[in-house]
C-alpha cells in the first residue's frame, strides 16, 4: 500500500476552511450556486457558470469518477514518499467540477479512466485531506469520461472579432537579442546574468543604453524563487536607464506576455526601444536549497494549495494526467512524445550553448527512469541558469538598426479555457486552444505558410498540444504527424524548436524560443538554420496563461 504520511498542508482562510475541515464528520462539502446548481471549486465569491453570487456550501455524496491519474515516482518532499498516485476526480453531482486528490488503497496496475471512486479523509493537524479510493459499491461500474464544455475543434467559434482593423503589431519590430552564459548550477548572481544578456541585446541592435526608454520583464520581483533576478526594480537600480514606461507583471503568459506589453507601449507612443528580459536560475537555487541556504516554505497558498497537499507538487502531475487522457482518446503513445524529445536533442547538437548535446535514441528515451507516468526523464525540460533579452523597437526606427528587423504578424492571447489546471481542457494543455484560435483571426496567413515553430516544451506533451491547437495537424492526429519525427526535423514540414528547445537547450520559460525565432528569421542559425525561413510561430506559457506570436522576416 502507499504511505499516507503527507505533511504539506494548505493555508486555511475564511473562504477555504470549510473545505479543508469538512472531513471532520466524514462528509465532503463544496460550494453550490443557488441559481444554476453548479458546483464551484476552488471556492469563489461568484459562480463561473452564471456569475451569480448566491452561493452556499453543500454536503455531497463523496462519490466520483476517476478523471485522470499519474503515478509519481520522482518527486519527493518531506512526508511524501514515492510512489504515489496524484489524481483528478469528477464529482457525481456535477462532473464538470473536478478535484485534484491522491488515490489510496488501490492497485496501480488496475487504474482506468472512468472507474468509480469514493472519498476518504486523512487528518493532519487541523486539515482533513479528501483522498479517494476505489468504490466499495459492487454495483458501480466504469463510465465514459464527461466531454469538455467546448470541443477542441470548436474554439474558433468563441474567438472575439478584432476591435479595429488597425493592428498594433504593425507598429513594432524586434530589433535585438542577447543571451547570457547558460549552464547548470553556475552559482552566479542572477542579476549579473540579466545585465549580461541586456548589454548583449542592446549591442546586437546597434543601440546604446541611453537609447532604451522602456523595460519589461516576467515574472517581476521574485528573486528568492529561482525564477527572477529581482525584476524591474533590481535591473533599474543597477543600470539606471530611467525608463518612461515599464512593466513587471507576473500574470501573463510568461515572457511572451511581457514582449506583447512592450509592443503595446511602443505602439501607444510611451517608448521607442523597450528592453525585455527574462532570467532563470533554478539550477543554482536548487543547489542552494540542498545546502539549506534558502528560506524554508510554509504552508501552500494560491492555486498550488489545491494540489500540493495531495503530492501534486509540479506542473508535471497535471499535464501527465492530460497526456494520459489524450493517449486514451486518440491513441497517442509514449513513442509519440519520444519523437519530440529526440528531435530537440538532434537540434541541440548543433547549438554551441545547449546543455544536453549528446545523441538521444528511442531506446534511450523509452528506458529512462520514470518521473510521473507517462513522463520519463527526457519528457521534462532541464533547469538551468540563464538570462535572455530582446528589444522591441518602433517600426520607423528600422533604418537606424544594426540587424534585419523581425516583424510581428499577429498575436494570440484570448482566454477561452478555464485557467485552473484541474478544471480546464481534458486532452490538451490549458490555455493553448484559445490563444491559437485567436492568432489566426488576426492574420491572413495560415498554418501552411509557417516555415518553423518554436513551441513551448516544458514537457514533450506541451508541444503535442500546441501542434494540434495551431492546426499543423488535426485534433487527435499528432500520433501520425509526429511518427518517426520526419515532419518536425529541420528539413521537414514543420521544423520544431531548432535550438533544442527547453528539453535540451535549457529551460528559459519560452524566452529562449523567442530569441531562436529571431535568429532563424534573420538567417543567422548557422548549421541549424531552416532554409528560406520567412514565417515562424512562437508560443509560451506552460500551464500558466498561454499565448503565441506569429513572426515574419523582411528578408
Amino acid at each position: 500500500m502507499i504511505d499516507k504520511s503527507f505533511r504539506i498542508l494548505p493555508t486555511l482562510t475564511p473562504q477555504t476552511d470549510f473545505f479543508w475541515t469538512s472531513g471532520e464528520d466524514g462528509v465532503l462539502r463544496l460550494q453550490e450556486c443557488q441559481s444554476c446548481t453548479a458546483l464551484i471549486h476552488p471556492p469563489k465569491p461568484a459562480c463561473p457558470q452564471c456569475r451569480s453570487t448566491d452561493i452556499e456550501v453543500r454536503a455531497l455524496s463523496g462519490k466520483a469518477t476517476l478523471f485522470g491519474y499519474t503515478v509519481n515516482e520522482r518527486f519527493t518532499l518531506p512526508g511524501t514518499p514515492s510512489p504515489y498516485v496524484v489524481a483528478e476526480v469528477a464529482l457525481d453531482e456535477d462532473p464538470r467540477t473536478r478535484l485534484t486528490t491522491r488515490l489510496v488503497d488501490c492497485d496501480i496496475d488496475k487504474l482506468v479512466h472512468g472507474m468509480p471512486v469514493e472519498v476518504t479523509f486523512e487528518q493532519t493537524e487541523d486539515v482533513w485531506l479528501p483522498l479517494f479510493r476505489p468504490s466499495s459499491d459492487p454495483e458501480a461500474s466504469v463510465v465514459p469520461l464527461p466531454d469538455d464544455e467546448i470541443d477542441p475543434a470548436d474554439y474558433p467559434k468563441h474567438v472575439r472579432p478584432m476591435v479595429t482593423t488597425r493592428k498594433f503589431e504593425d507598429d513594432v519590430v524586434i530589433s535585438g537579442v542577447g543571451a547570457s552564459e547558460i549552464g547548470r548550477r553556475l552559482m552566479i548572481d542572477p542579476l549579473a546574468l540579466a545585465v549580461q544578456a541586456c548589454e548583449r541585446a542592446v549591442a546586437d541592435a546597434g543601440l546604446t543604453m541611453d537609447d532604451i526608454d522602456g523595460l519589461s520583464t516576467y515574472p517581476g520581483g521574485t528573486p528568492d524563487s529561482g525564477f527572477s533576478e529581482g525584476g524591474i526594480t533590481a535591473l533599474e537600480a543597477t543600470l539606471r536607464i530611467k525608463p518612461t514606461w515599464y512593466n513587471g507583471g507576473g500574470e501573463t503568459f510568461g515572457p511572451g506576455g511581457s514582449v506583447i506589453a512592450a509592443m503595446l507601449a511602443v505602439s501607444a507612443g510611451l517608448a521607442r526601444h523597450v528592453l525585455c528580459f527574462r532570467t532563470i536560475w533554478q539550477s543554482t537555487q536548487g543547489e542552494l536549497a540542498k545546502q539549506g541556504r534558502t528560506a524554508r516554505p510554509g504552508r501552500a497558498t494560491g492555486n498550488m494549495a489545491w494540489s500540493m497537499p495531495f503530492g501534486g507538487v509540479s506542473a508535471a502531475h497535471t499535464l501527465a494526467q492530460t497526456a494520459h487522457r489524450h493517449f486514451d482518446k486518440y491513441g497517442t503513445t509514449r513513442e509519440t512524445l519520444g519523437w519530440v524529445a529526440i528531435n530537440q536533442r538532434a537540434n541541440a547538437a548543433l547549438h554551441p550553448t545547449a546543455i544536453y548535446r549528446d545523441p538521444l535514441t528511442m531506446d534511450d528515451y523509452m528506458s529512462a527512469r520514470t518521473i510521473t507516468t507517462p513522463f520519463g526523464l527526457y519528457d521534462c525540460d532541464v533547469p538551468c541558469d540563464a538570462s535572455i533579452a530582446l528589444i522591441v523597437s518602433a517600426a520607423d526606427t528600422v533604418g537606424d538598426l544594426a540587424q534585419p528587423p523581425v516583424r510581428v504578424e499577429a498575436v494570440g492571447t484570448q482566454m477561452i479555457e478555464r485557467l485552473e489546471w484541474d478544471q480546464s481542457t481534458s486532452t490538451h494543455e490549458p490555455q493553448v486552444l484559445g490563444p491559437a484560435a485567436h492568432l489566426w483571426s488576426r492574420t491572413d496567413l495560415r498554418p501552411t505558410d509557417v516555415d518553423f515553430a518554436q513551441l513551448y516544451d516544458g514537457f514533450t506533451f506541451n508541444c503535442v498540444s500546441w501542434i494540434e491547437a495551431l492546426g499543423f495537424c488535426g485534433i487527435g492526429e499528432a500520433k501520425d504527424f509526429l511518427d518517426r519525427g520526419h515532419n518536425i526535423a529541420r528539413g521537414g514540414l514543420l521544423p520544431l524548436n531548432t535550438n533544442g528547445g527547453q528539453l535540451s537547450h535549457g529551460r528559459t520559460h519560452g524566452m529562449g524560443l523567442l530569441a531562436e525565432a529571431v535568429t532563424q528569421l534573420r538567417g543567422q542559425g548557422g548549421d541549424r538554420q531552416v532554409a528560406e525561413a520567412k514565417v515562424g510561430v512562437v508560443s509560451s506559457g506552460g500551464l500558466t496563461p498561454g499565448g503565441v506570436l506569429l513572426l515574419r522576416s523582411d528578408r
Side-chain angles (χ1 to χ4, degrees):
M1 289 301 171
I2 299 170
D3 191 291
K4 297 181 180 180
S5 56
F6 280 71
R7 297 172 189 164
I8 298 179
L9 299 177
T11 299
L12 272 60
T13 69
Q15 293 74 37
T16 67
D17 61 0
F18 81 89
F19 178 82
W20 296 115
T21 62
S22 182
E24 187 172 8
D25 63 359
V27 177
L28 181 68
R29 292 175 174 86
L30 262 67
Q31 287 180 327
E32 182 184 58
C33 175
Q34 300 306 293
S35 296
C36 71
T37 71
L39 294 181
I40 302 168
H41 185 76
K44 294 177 174 58
C47 173
Q49 300 294 334
C50 71
R51 302 194 179 101
S52 170
T53 57
D54 186 6
I55 295 171
E56 295 183 3
V57 174
R58 175 184 173 185
L60 302 175
S61 66
K63 297 179 180 181
T65 296
L66 183 60
F67 190 79
Y69 65 93
T70 180
V71 181
N72 173 78
E73 296 188 15
R74 169 65 177 86
F75 296 94
T76 58
L77 287 173
T80 59
S82 300
Y84 55 82
V85 181
V86 181
E88 294 173 9
V89 298
L91 299 170
D92 279 9
E93 287 84 353
D94 185 353
R96 296 173 300 179
T97 304
R98 305 190 284 268
L99 305 183
T100 291
T101 185
R102 182 161 51 94
L103 210 60
V104 297
D105 301 331
C106 61
D107 184 337
I108 290 174
D109 294 331
K110 294 183 179 180
L111 298 180
V112 294
H113 290 136
M115 67 182 291
V117 293
E118 61 188 21
V119 74
T120 182
F121 292 94
E122 175 183 291
Q123 182 186 1
T124 304
E125 298 181 19
D126 56 351
V127 172
W128 280 260
L129 295 178
L131 311 181
F132 281 77
R133 63 192 177 197
S135 174
S136 59
D137 182 357
E139 302 298 322
S141 60
V142 174
V143 298
L145 294 184
D147 292 330
D148 288 347
E149 293 182 63
I150 302 176
D151 186 270
D154 288 342
Y155 274 78
K157 300 176 184 177
H158 296 265
V159 172
R160 297 177 185 271
M162 290 177 61
V163 175
T164 174
T165 56
R166 178 182 177 273
K167 290 171 55 181
F168 77 96
E169 294 98 326
D170 296 336
D171 298 335
V172 306
V173 296
I174 298 175
S175 58
V177 293
S180 75
E181 181 180 355
I182 182 172
R184 299 273 282 165
R185 293 178 286 276
L186 295 178
M187 308 303 285
I188 296 175
D189 179 356
L191 184 56
L193 295 175
V195 169
Q196 188 179 74
C198 290
E199 288 177 337
R200 290 174 177 177
V202 170
D204 181 67
L207 302 171
T208 69
M209 283 294 178
D210 289 339
D211 295 314
I212 302 301
D213 52 4
L215 294 173
S216 189
T217 191
Y218 164 90
T222 57
D224 294 330
S225 67
F227 283 86
S228 168
E229 67 297 289
I232 295 296
T233 300
L235 192 77
E236 172 58 16
T238 301
L239 295 181
R240 296 294 290 126
I241 288 170
K242 305 182 183 71
T244 56
W245 176 87
Y246 61 90
N247 163 71
E251 285 200 310
T252 185
F253 65 95
S258 68
V259 171
I260 290 179
M263 293 165 56
L264 289 166
V266 170
S267 179
L270 284 168
R272 298 278 285 167
H273 301 284
V274 179
L275 177 59
C276 306
F277 57 99
R278 172 73 171 106
T279 305
I280 190 79
W281 58 291
Q282 281 182 287
S283 188
T284 285
Q285 198 271 346
E287 180 62 26
L288 294 175
K290 290 179 184 177
Q291 298 174 13
R293 296 165 60 189
T294 57
R296 293 184 178 182
R299 287 197 173 196
T301 60
N303 287 334
M304 292 302 289
W306 303 102
S307 60
M308 288 188 72
F310 305 103
V313 298
S314 166
H317 292 123
T318 294
L319 201 63
Q321 295 182 67
T322 308
H324 262 150
R325 290 187 290 265
H326 198 283
F327 283 21
D328 279 0
K329 187 169 184 176
Y330 300 119
T332 314
T333 65
R334 284 209 66 218
E335 285 84 353
T336 306
L337 305 184
W339 294 120
V340 174
I342 292 167
N343 174 78
Q344 260 76 312
R345 183 62 63 86
N347 289 336
L350 301 176
H351 199 302
T353 67
I355 291 176
Y356 291 147
R357 303 179 63 195
D358 293 338
L360 180 69
T361 67
M362 185 60 78
D363 285 343
D364 296 331
Y365 169 83
M366 295 296 290
S367 62
R369 72 175 185 268
T370 300
I371 301 301
T372 189
T373 58
F375 295 158
L377 177 64
Y378 298 119
D379 290 297
C380 308
D381 60 9
V382 52
C384 67
D385 301 336
S387 185
I388 309 292
L390 61 84
I391 297 171
V392 174
S393 295
D396 61 10
T397 67
V398 166
D400 301 324
L401 300 174
Q403 298 285 355
V406 171
R407 300 188 183 272
V408 183
E409 171 67 20
V411 303
T413 57
Q414 186 177 345
M415 291 182 179
I416 298 177
E417 303 98 314
R418 287 190 62 171
L419 295 183
E420 304 101 325
W421 292 359
D422 53 5
Q423 309 299 315
S424 195
T425 49
S426 64
T427 55
H428 292 77
E429 176 194 344
Q431 197 59 16
V432 302
L433 294 164
H438 184 223
L439 176 79
W440 299 121
S441 75
R442 296 186 62 81
T443 177
D444 292 330
L445 297 180
R446 297 293 94 187
T448 52
D449 296 311
V450 174
D451 298 312
F452 64 84
Q454 313 291 348
L455 302 180
Y456 190 87
D457 60 343
F459 303 95
T460 50
F461 186 72
N462 293 97
C463 281
V464 172
S465 292
W466 279 110
I467 286 170
E468 292 188 354
L470 286 164
F472 295 118
C473 68
I475 297 296
E477 295 178 1
K479 178 182 178 182
D480 292 335
F481 184 82
L482 292 170
D483 186 41
R484 312 304 301 177
H486 300 311
N487 284 334
I488 57 174
R490 284 185 306 281
L493 293 175
L494 185 72
L496 178 67
N497 292 13
T498 51
N499 69 339
Q502 300 188 151
L503 296 173
S504 287
H505 187 264
R507 179 199 297 164
T508 52
H509 287 137
M511 196 65 151
L513 296 174
L514 189 50
E516 174 68 8
V518 172
T519 298
Q520 288 288 333
L521 291 171
R522 288 176 174 178
Q524 298 171 351
D527 291 342
R528 66 184 190 280
Q529 178 65 43
V530 174
E532 299 182 4
K534 299 293 180 63
V535 178
V537 65
V538 190
S539 69
S540 66
L543 287 172
T544 67
V548 60
L549 298 90
L550 190 65
L551 307 180
R552 58 182 173 83
S553 170
D554 279 349
R555 293 189 300 122

